[in-house]
Amino acid sequence: MAMFKCKMCGGNLEVKDNESVAICEYCGTQQTLPKLDDDKRVNLYDRANHFRRHNEFDKAINIYESILSDDGTDAEAYWSLVLCRYGIEYVEDPTTHKRVPTVNRVQYTSIFDDADYQSALKYADEYQKEIYKQEATIINEIQKEILAISQKEEPFDVFICYKETDKEGKRTQDSVLANELYHQLTLEGFKVFFSRITLEDRIGTEYEPYIFAALNSAKVMVVLGTKAEYFQGVWVKNEWSRYLALIKNGAKKALIPAYRDMDPYDLPEEFSHLQAQDMSKLGFMQDLIRGIRKLTETSQTASDVKGTVKENNRGVEIDPLLRRAYLFLEDENFASADEYFEKVLDIEPENAKAYTGKMMVELKCKKESDIPNLTKRIDDNSNYKKILRFADETYKHEIIGYNEVILNNLYQQAMSDKKIAKTDKDYLKISEFLQDNLLGYKDTYEQVTECERLAEEYVKEQQYQQYEEKFLSYDKNTTELNWLELANEFENLDDYKDSSERVVQCKKNARQQCITMEKQKKKKKMTITIFIMSIVFIFVLKMVIIPSVKYGRAINFYNKGRYEDAYQIFKTFDDYKDSNDKTGECLFKIQAKRLVDIKEGDTIKFGHYEQDNDLSNGKEEIEWQVLTIEENKALVISKYALDCKPYNKSWKYISWRDCFLRTWLNNDFFELAFSQEYHEKIVYNNRLDNKNPKYSSYVDSPTDDKVFLLSIAEVNKYLPSDLEKKCQITPYCETQCPFKNNNWWLQSLGKDRRTASIVDDYGLVDYDGLRVSSSFVTVRPALWINLDF
């Protein structure tokens, strides 16, 4: 049985021999499999799929082509090339939580006509072929939607390609230079695509249709940058590589590289045949504008075309065209209606009634009076916005009123459904409906939060009833382990009803069961002394005299500072006098001696935690990697992942301050790993900077923690390479994970407050992160140790 990474979410798949289709147990996606007949091919696919999931499509293509050079009959390699060519990224649908494709590299060519797609079908078995056809149909529909949107966009003269933000999410110098270039070119009369401004009113929508339209219409692309790595940024390269492909396929276009404060020899190799421009050179802007004008002077600009259309239609009456169009609407002849509304707009581009008609065509609405009866809001429709822009005040308020009626109807429907909802699925369905249709209206956000709370409460109630039945059914014969398991289940309910009291009762019953068992064992031992009096002396010798002598010898070693010798004796006692305390003190003294003259990069032992999964031999010493030493304090992180816990037990908006993992580290883990002697040597750390540099809109408030996780900034600072970030997990940790993996949590949140960042199996920081409730991510605690012993 081979191990293979899911090409959607990156989770581990267990693949049986000769299996060509599998279902991922983590994301639930049915997917095709490659030929996994040797380890080399498995590794190549894992690496290529990793690049594709991170949108580095060109790197992935090179590996897939390498696979095909060895075996030209591998259907999955051909299909993977198709996914890269069309820039397919699988994202989680927030409504269904299924992975659905998005298209980041639209082509004019249909996927059904793609040569690699045809080859995939040719070499696939029947199961694979069916999935390829289903996926291709979905991608084709998405592509047609994007092409339909892009065809409505006005053409551009110039496309400015640049990197907007750096690794920390801050605006780059490239963005400032691109902004200056945009304004200069605009003043010269050019129609310029500059994403920062051009896509400003597209926030909340997919950008690909507009980028695709601009790439195909622009006669010139200027690629500018101040650092070599900025030219190679994933989305920057996605734009210029697609533009070069258009040129290669015969499009009459030109690409101009422009650089500053860097060596031109560090430009991408693909630019080696092009004349690059130095932006710091005197007269650069004038030379660039003159060159662009020469390249674009033979083509007619968008404004020229519009002027011609208007001039050619001058004198045509609008009212008959409008009446004809609305008659077509009543007959449900939507195509003809749209055609006539376009004729009206050719004559009068600011006719509000024509835009109303076009909106009705999109919504398949026969009469204007039927608009309030629609089941979808209209204020996010592009034609609606044009109506409000060009209509007089009376008609504008009428259209706004239509939308208000629709929103109110949808809201009342949701509230009615909420009143009769019973299960968690009912509440989540209402929450999804509100998010999809009514965000920003009335108290929708509060209603969404309330529905999610009610869904969570319903689940907790079902679990509580299940655990309560167990509690009432247990009796004096129930084992200590069963009581502890039940305590853990009640504890997971987060103080729901009397779950906290049940936790205390279960743990009390577990201790009582343990005491009862111990008493039974001692009673059996004592019965022997009744028959043989000589055993009394042996018992006294063993239980009193010898322990007393051993204890005195251990105390003597301890007082002389021979802690290793004292520890070896103390650990043989079974709770004799204060032997347990002395054992802990010896271990602390032993470890304290090792901390003298440590330096960065050293591995030290400090504290104890279960690691080898053998409970009979007690906890093992924890190994820590020293990251830095400041003012006689050492920042350390566990060498191995010690446990597997969710960042937060429920999937909801959360912060580091309030998450479950912070509480567990500073309470349960802290008490289990460190006896009282260690506590004062672990220093409180004020956590000031744990923001995500890629998604910097949310910054957590400071916290004082003794045990914490490294932030993105810290892990990149102290463990700069991918190899340094990778870690192994302990045998005990492996038993706590649903499946074996080397992912580990970072403190910084991910792309939103319901996700947290991680370091993945390859040692790469995943800025988008995983759900905070994910149960398969491991924990590497970090802390500051005071070295003054």
Side-chain angles (χ1 to χ4, degrees), residues 235-266:
W235 295 113
V236 175
K237 187 174 181 180
N238 178 54
E239 291 175 351
W240 62 250
S241 64
R242 292 168 69 181
Y243 199 79
L244 283 177
L246 291 173
I247 295 173
K248 184 178 179 181
N249 290 331
K252 294 181 179 180
K253 299 176 181 290
L255 187 147
I256 304 174
Y259 64 92
R260 182 173 176 174
D261 302 330
M262 60 176 285
D263 192 325
Y265 291 102
D266 290 334

Side-chain angles (χ1 to χ4, degrees), residues 494-768:
D494 293 332
D495 298 327
Y496 181 73
K497 289 188 174 180
D498 62 345
S499 59
S500 296
E501 296 176 11
R502 286 290 191 248
V503 170
V504 174
Q505 292 169 341
C506 289
K507 290 183 177 180
K508 181 179 178 181
N509 291 344
R511 287 194 296 272
Q512 185 60 46
Q513 187 69 6
C514 183
I515 292 171
T516 301
M517 294 299 294
E518 287 296 322
K519 285 182 178 179
Q520 290 176 355
K521 290 180 183 178
K522 290 182 180 180
K523 186 175 181 180
K524 289 180 181 179
K525 291 180 181 178
M526 292 295 295
T527 55
I528 301 174
T529 60
I530 297 174
F531 301 99
I532 307 174
M533 292 301 296
S534 60
I535 299 301
V536 174
F537 174 74
I538 297 173
F539 175 79
V540 172
L541 181 66
K542 180 178 179 181
M543 301 301 295
V544 180
I545 300 175
I546 293 177
S548 178
V549 172
K550 286 172 61 180
Y551 180 82
R553 186 180 178 196
I555 288 293
N556 186 42
F557 284 145
Y558 181 87
N559 292 335
K560 290 181 178 181
R562 295 172 58 180
Y563 302 116
E564 289 277 5
D565 295 331
Y567 169 71
Q568 294 300 325
I569 298 175
F570 279 130
K571 75 176 184 179
T572 63
F573 288 107
D574 183 13
D575 199 20
Y576 181 78
K577 292 185 177 181
D578 61 348
S579 60
N580 289 343
D581 293 337
K582 289 297 183 184
T583 300
E585 291 175 16
C586 287
L587 287 174
F588 175 73
K589 297 288 187 181
I590 292 167
Q591 291 186 341
K593 280 187 175 182
R594 299 173 186 161
L595 299 181
V596 178
D597 297 328
I598 66 170
K599 59 184 181 298
E600 272 184 32
D602 284 352
T603 299
I604 63 172
K605 295 180 179 179
F606 191 76
H608 300 77
Y609 199 73
E610 182 57 43
Q611 296 173 67
D612 65 359
N613 204 36
D614 182 359
L615 301 181
S616 65
N617 62 5
K619 296 181 285 188
E620 288 70 43
E621 291 184 288
I622 304 174
E623 294 187 61
W624 304 86
Q625 181 178 345
V626 179
L627 301 178
T628 186
I629 297 177
E630 300 176 2
E631 299 179 355
N632 213 29
K633 294 184 295 184
L635 173 62
V636 300
I637 184 172
S638 65
K639 183 177 180 181
Y640 306 105
L642 300 179
D643 215 322
C644 185
K645 299 286 182 182
Y647 193 92
N648 198 61
K649 288 189 176 180
S650 59
W651 183 45
K652 62 181 181 180
Y653 291 99
I654 198 67
S655 65
W656 167 249
R657 170 180 291 278
D658 301 320
C659 74
F660 161 76
L661 193 50
R662 177 177 176 245
T663 302
W664 181 81
L665 286 170
N666 286 277
N667 290 282
D668 296 14
F669 176 79
F670 185 73
E671 294 298 332
L672 284 170
F674 307 111
S675 58
Q676 191 63 40
E677 295 83 8
Y678 294 82
H679 288 187
E680 63 182 17
K681 295 302 178 184
I682 301 175
V683 183
Y684 274 108
N685 176 248
N686 186 258
R687 309 294 295 154
L688 291 174
D689 183 8
N690 61 3
K691 66 177 181 291
N692 187 321
K694 184 176 179 182
Y695 303 100
S696 58
S697 59
Y698 175 76
V699 179
D700 206 351
S701 56
T703 57
D704 282 328
D705 300 327
K706 284 213 167 186
V707 189
F708 49 89
L709 303 176
L710 292 185
S711 67
I712 291 177
E714 288 169 328
V715 78
N716 286 332
K717 177 180 179 181
Y718 297 119
L719 302 171
S721 71
D722 297 351
L723 184 60
E724 290 176 291
K725 291 184 182 74
K726 294 176 67 173
C727 81
Q728 297 178 347
I729 65 176
T730 66
Y732 172 76
C733 178
E734 184 176 346
T735 65
Q736 306 303 302
C737 292
F739 65 92
K740 183 178 179 181
N741 73 92
N742 296 345
N743 295 339
W744 52 283
W745 288 116
L746 297 176
Q747 187 181 127
S748 304
L749 295 173
K751 63 183 178 182
D752 58 42
R753 292 177 60 194
R754 294 190 294 181
T755 59
S757 57
I758 65 165
V759 173
D760 66 15
D761 290 345
Y762 298 100
L764 300 173
V765 174
D766 187 340
Y767 292 84
D768 289 358

